[in-house]
Amino acid sequence: MILVTGGAGFIGANFVLDWLAQNNEAVINLDKLTYAGNLENLVALKDDPRHIFVQGDIGNTQLVEKLLAQHCPRAVVNFAAESHVDRSIHGPEDFIQTNIVGTFHLLETVRAYWSGLAEAEKAAFRFLHVSTDEVYGSLAQGEPAFSETKRYEPNSPYSASKAASDHLVRAYHHTYGLPVLTTNCSNNYGPYHFPEKLIPLMIVNALAGKPLPVYGDGQQIRDWLYVKDHCSAIRTVLAKGKLGEVYNIGGWNEKANLDIVHTVCTLLDQLRPRTDKKSYREQIAFVTDRPGHDRRYAIDARKIECELGWKPAETFETGIRKTVQWYLDNRDWVSHVQSGDYRKWVEKNYAGRAR
Ligand code: NAD
Ligand code: DAU
């Protein structure tokens, strides 16, 4: 079996669902259930004995030691993190605690477990660390996309904390020989995406008749990948990746934020037209920019494509249509995640930002 951390969040839950749909290898899912963790994402596995959910912190050494000793996983896939840039600007401490200190404790505990394995299991073991393209900083228009050798230049407390965790993972390989793999992926979108992030926020605000807040001039560029393609890339790296190597993951889909918002509006205009027949674009509102906002991200995915033979299955057009439809079909999920805490966050992040 494998141990997945953060498997109740957006990407982790998609990964666990896909993993168990594709093969019979069981999953222990360790998740703290912060505001971003949601057991409703995993409701399809409620009666599935191959999924063992444990609520807990990656930094809880005793708990992780116990889980490793009890279940003897052959791999750890580490998704657990604080993941939202805006929240890292309002309050960086949780990011330092989970993304740096938590990853350090997890690495220490896994190293002790791995050191005690028999030679064959030791050689087969993997620690896969899920990271982000944001560690590479921001690109100017015309600069080449991020390759694995690009210098780290993180600009937000979030990306700095992820960069620190990547360095720790690298050091555990070089110093102790821990068999690690690191993936740095671009922006994901798809089912179960928490509506504090751009795409799901735009969908749920549009349907609720609320403003669609576009930061700054809306010309910042992100490189979008359908979440299930990220999951297939992680499975590929876990199976075939070379120890100690880094793999960038992306789908060659650079888009400006305003274009993304327009696409979402166009799809909603077709699939769920407004009662007044006007376009959802009427709701777009330009708001004060994110401090330190990175202008452009772009992933050069040639290494994973050429060396491991991975390719995404979705284009942006097919993926975004599926995503919008998923939010239309899952209105209960949406209303359950919009709790009092969620409303407080929206108030905190957007109050006083209108221009
Ligand atoms: P998310 O915020 O939706 O989910 C994070 C999950 O981790 C939640 O379930 C949360 O409860 C859990 N968690 C947080 N702190 C924990 C702790 N101390 N111990 C155990 N569990 C904890 O995040 P996501 O968007 O699913 O991202 C998952 C990973 O992928 C992160 O490491 C993120 O940096 C990385 N990543 C995300 C994207 C993206 O576009 N969302 C892109 C590239 C990389
Ligand atoms: O690049 C990978 C990263 O992508 C991941 O590491 C992060 O975990 C993930 O959250 C995401 O970070 P971004 O900051 O790029 O995602 P977000 O959805 O928050 O914002 C996407 C873009 O949209 C960004 O340029 C900011 C802008 N934006 C965002 C929100 C929430 C807006 O214009 N308005 C908004 O209300």
Side-chain angles (χ1 to χ4, degrees), residues 107-137:
L107 281 165
E108 271 294 90
T109 316
V110 170
R111 178 169 75 91
Y113 162 74
W114 169 77
S115 305
L117 291 175
E119 279 317 306
E121 280 95 56
K122 216 172 157 183
F125 186 80
R126 298 289 181 268
F127 181 97
L128 191 151
H129 180 60
V130 179
S131 193
T132 168
D133 60 358
E134 299 203 9
V135 297
Y136 298 121

Side-chain angles (χ1 to χ4, degrees), residues 83-86 132-134 158 185-187 196-198 201-202 213-215 220 222 224 257 290 293 297 350:
S83 71
H84 189 31
V85 174
D86 291 318
T132 168
D133 60 358
E134 299 203 9
Y158 162 68
C185 188
S186 61
N187 284 62
E196 63 184 358
K197 308 278 173 74
L198 180 72
L201 181 83
M202 294 300 148
V214 174
Y215 295 165
Q220 302 82 8
R222 298 291 182 269
W224 294 93
N257 292 340
R290 172 187 278 177
H293 200 172
Y297 304 142
Y350 297 96

Side-chain angles (χ1 to χ4, degrees), residues 51-96:
H51 178 239
I52 302 161
F53 182 80
V54 179
Q55 182 172 5
D57 196 312
I58 54 167
N60 182 340
T61 303
Q62 274 184 337
L63 172 65
V64 178
E65 257 171 19
K66 195 176 105 197
L67 291 175
L68 292 170
Q70 199 178 340
H71 299 286
C72 303
R74 68 162 179 100
V76 173
V77 183
N78 183 32
F79 292 94
E82 289 293 335
S83 71
H84 189 31
V85 174
D86 291 318
R87 286 190 192 248
S88 84
I89 295 166
H90 284 276
E93 191 160 351
D94 286 347
F95 290 73
I96 306 305

Side-chain angles (χ1 to χ4, degrees), residues 9-11 31-32 34 37 57-58 79 83 98 131 158 162 188:
F10 163 48
I11 306 173
D31 194 295
K32 190 177 175 181
T34 67
D57 196 312
I58 54 167
F79 292 94
S83 71
T98 284
S131 193
Y158 162 68
K162 290 296 291 187
N188 285 213

Side-chain angles (χ1 to χ4, degrees), residues 67-323:
L67 291 175
L68 292 170
Q70 199 178 340
H71 299 286
C72 303
R74 68 162 179 100
V76 173
V77 183
N78 183 32
F79 292 94
E82 289 293 335
S83 71
H84 189 31
V85 174
D86 291 318
R87 286 190 192 248
S88 84
I89 295 166
H90 284 276
E93 191 160 351
D94 286 347
F95 290 73
I96 306 305
Q97 208 49 50
T98 284
N99 300 0
I100 307 180
V101 182
T103 305
F104 158 70
H105 285 302
L106 182 65
L107 281 165
E108 271 294 90
T109 316
V110 170
R111 178 169 75 91
Y113 162 74
W114 169 77
S115 305
L117 291 175
E119 279 317 306
E121 280 95 56
K122 216 172 157 183
F125 186 80
R126 298 289 181 268
F127 181 97
L128 191 151
H129 180 60
V130 179
S131 193
T132 168
D133 60 358
E134 299 203 9
V135 297
Y136 298 121
S138 183
L139 291 169
Q141 202 55 48
E143 263 192 278
F146 300 133
S147 75
E148 288 78 2
T149 54
K150 164 81 174 66
R151 190 168 71 134
Y152 271 36
E153 291 178 287
N155 290 320
S156 72
Y158 162 68
S159 53
S161 68
K162 290 296 291 187
S165 69
D166 293 7
H167 291 322
L168 283 169
V169 169
R170 178 190 159 87
Y172 271 65
H173 177 66
H174 281 263
T175 305
Y176 305 113
L178 190 69
V180 308
L181 297 155
T182 299
T183 57
N184 292 85
C185 188
S186 61
N187 284 62
N188 285 213
Y189 67 99
Y192 307 112
H193 205 181
F194 193 73
E196 63 184 358
K197 308 278 173 74
L198 180 72
I199 290 180
L201 181 83
M202 294 300 148
I203 301 171
V204 307
N205 276 16
L207 293 170
K210 294 184 178 159
L212 308 181
V214 174
Y215 295 165
D217 62 3
Q219 293 308 312
Q220 302 82 8
I221 290 170
R222 298 291 182 269
D223 189 351
W224 294 93
L225 184 70
Y226 191 61
V227 62
K228 287 177 186 301
D229 283 326
H230 186 187
C231 296
S232 75
I234 292 171
R235 289 196 303 273
T236 303
V237 173
L238 190 59
K240 301 200 260 177
K242 220 169 119 203
L243 291 190
E245 292 283 318
V246 172
Y247 295 91
N248 285 356
I249 304 171
W252 308 95
N253 273 314
E254 286 186 61
K255 308 260 178 224
N257 292 340
L258 191 57
D259 293 338
I260 294 287
V261 179
H262 284 160
T263 304
V264 167
C265 291
T266 304
L267 283 167
L268 286 173
D269 289 340
Q270 290 166 16
L271 298 167
R272 186 64 53 89
R274 274 175 38 158
T275 47
D276 63 7
K277 303 286 180 242
K278 289 186 177 161
S279 170
Y280 286 97
R281 289 189 189 201
E282 302 263 324
Q283 290 164 231
I284 292 174
F286 288 90
V287 302
T288 305
D289 209 350
R290 172 187 278 177
H293 200 172
D294 284 339
R295 196 68 184 166
R296 174 177 165 236
Y297 304 142
I299 280 282
D300 179 341
R302 281 178 295 179
K303 180 174 174 184
I304 186 170
E305 288 173 1
C306 299
E307 292 185 16
L308 306 186
W310 172 84
K311 278 246 183 296
E314 301 290 342
T315 62
F316 184 71
E317 289 63 35
T318 58
I320 192 70
R321 184 172 279 275
K322 284 185 184 175
T323 304

